[in-house]
Amino acid sequence: MGAGAPVPEPRGPGPRALARRRRRHSAARFWRAYRTRRSGMFGLALLVLLALLALTAPLTVGAEVRSVTRATGGPMEGPSGAFWLGTDQFGRDLCGLLVWGARVSLMVGLLAAVLSVAIGAVVGVTAGHFRGWYATVVMRVTDWFLVMPTLVLAIALATVLSRSLTTVVLAIGVTTWPTTARLVRAQTLAVESRPYIERARALGGGHGHVMSRHVLPNVMPLVLAQTTLGISGAILAEATLAFLGLGDPTVTSWGGMLQDAREAGAVSAGHWWYLVPPGIAIATVALAFTLCGRAVESVLNPRLGATG
């Protein structure tokens, strides 16, 4: 390089690096605010514990706990040192079944809630952006789903389709999205009334650019809060469908355990150890997700105030 050649100035971080840095800072601010919500931290601790139990079930209790031919206890034995929660009508350890059932209940609840929120977000964003006849037709369909009993629609779908976990996820997901669609559409209308949306359109931004770059990032906090709140409802819906005999009979879930207890006559026989643990597990995980969802909602929407 010659003596008279200009020295290049050091370049700063690129747009992608800046975007990643902003996301990290936003996540750090969110976590600092979330930690101040005691109820949210309590719900998160419960979820972490349940997730660890579900993930380690193949190592801690083993898949053979679900086998009828490998049962090691007698039918309907009460709680004891060998079987902490007693046994079912086949002699299987109910404690092991409860831990194994957490895998199915949590997975179905999470997938169904994600599907429901994804449908609601797409419908809400497009209806709020395009307006006109499209929004009118879509929102009338949404209103129809809102006035119809969700459980009845889910039962109808689960009855028509084959009995599997995929059917349960679809039945819950495609019947519980209207509330999210309504909320996301209202947020989309509020976002698109801001001046920078007009500037983006004036600079040549198309529909896809406006929705993906400007509208969607602003509605994502609402979508995240709806997801955490919807998981608890999805788990309760899965338990209800399984209790009604519309779940997958080849898998073990908490709702399926309640169905098996009903068929085995545990209610009339007073075998409380067969009924109470699955019910408490369903209520606990629903409470944990609700606490987390409320905490997330209060962090993302400061107008709700610090309620932790």
Side-chain angles (χ1 to χ4, degrees):
M1 180 180 296
V7 178
E9 296 182 0
R11 300 179 61 184
R16 293 185 179 179
L18 290 174
R20 288 194 295 267
R21 184 182 301 174
R22 286 196 296 266
R23 285 195 291 267
R24 287 196 298 268
H25 290 168
S26 298
R29 286 197 303 269
F30 171 82
W31 175 241
R32 285 195 298 269
Y34 186 89
R35 286 187 301 178
T36 63
R37 272 66 176 178
R38 289 173 293 178
S39 60
M41 292 300 295
F42 177 72
L44 182 61
L46 283 178
L47 290 181
V48 170
L49 177 61
L50 290 171
L52 288 176
L53 288 175
L55 291 174
T56 59
L59 301 176
T60 55
V61 298
E64 64 274 3
V65 72
R66 300 174 298 168
S67 175
V68 176
T69 59
R70 298 183 181 180
T72 57
M76 293 295 189
E77 290 186 8
S80 62
F83 304 102
W84 293 354
L85 298 179
T87 62
D88 63 0
Q89 67 270 32
F90 304 111
R92 298 179 297 180
D93 183 14
L94 286 176
C95 184
L97 292 176
L98 190 71
V99 173
W100 196 270
R103 297 170 62 88
V104 174
S105 295
L106 291 175
M107 180 186 68
V108 170
L110 179 61
L111 293 178
V114 170
L115 176 61
S116 172
V117 172
I119 296 174
V122 171
V123 171
V125 169
T126 55
H129 176 79
F130 289 108
R131 321 276 178 91
W133 66 268
Y134 172 79
T136 301
V137 172
V138 168
M139 297 316 295
R140 295 297 77 78
V141 174
T142 303
D143 292 338
W144 182 82
F145 273 94
L146 280 173
V147 299
M148 288 293 292
T150 301
L151 183 58
V152 174
L153 291 176
I155 291 174
L157 285 176
T159 303
V160 172
L161 302 176
S162 60
R163 295 174 62 182
S164 64
L165 291 181
T166 302
T167 297
V168 174
V169 171
L170 289 175
I172 299 173
V174 301
T175 57
T176 57
W177 57 267
T179 302
T180 302
R182 277 284 183 184
L183 293 174
V184 171
R185 178 177 182 268
Q187 184 70 10
T188 301
L189 293 175
V191 170
E192 295 212 351
S193 65
R194 297 172 183 172
Y196 66 86
I197 298 294
E198 292 296 331
R199 289 196 294 268
R201 288 171 176 164
L203 292 173
H207 296 298
H209 175 82
V210 172
M211 287 190 293
S212 62
R213 295 297 183 89
H214 299 289
V215 176
L216 190 59
N218 284 280
V219 303
M220 279 306 295
L222 177 62
V223 171
L224 177 60
Q226 280 296 112
T227 302
T228 55
L229 291 172
I231 292 175
S232 59
I235 290 175
L236 292 174
E238 184 277 331
T240 303
L241 292 176
F243 179 74
L244 295 176
L246 299 175
D248 190 346
T250 63
V251 300
T252 301
S253 68
W254 292 335
M257 292 178 65
L258 291 175
Q259 163 67 3
D260 292 340
R262 184 181 66 85
E263 292 183 347
V267 178
S268 58
H271 296 152
W272 58 268
W273 59 87
Y274 204 165
L275 296 166
V276 174
I280 292 178
I282 294 171
T284 299
V285 72
L287 174 64
F289 274 112
T290 300
L291 292 176
C292 290
R294 294 302 181 189
V296 169
E297 190 177 25
S298 65
V299 170
L300 298 178
N301 187 1
R303 288 177 298 179
L304 296 176
T307 58

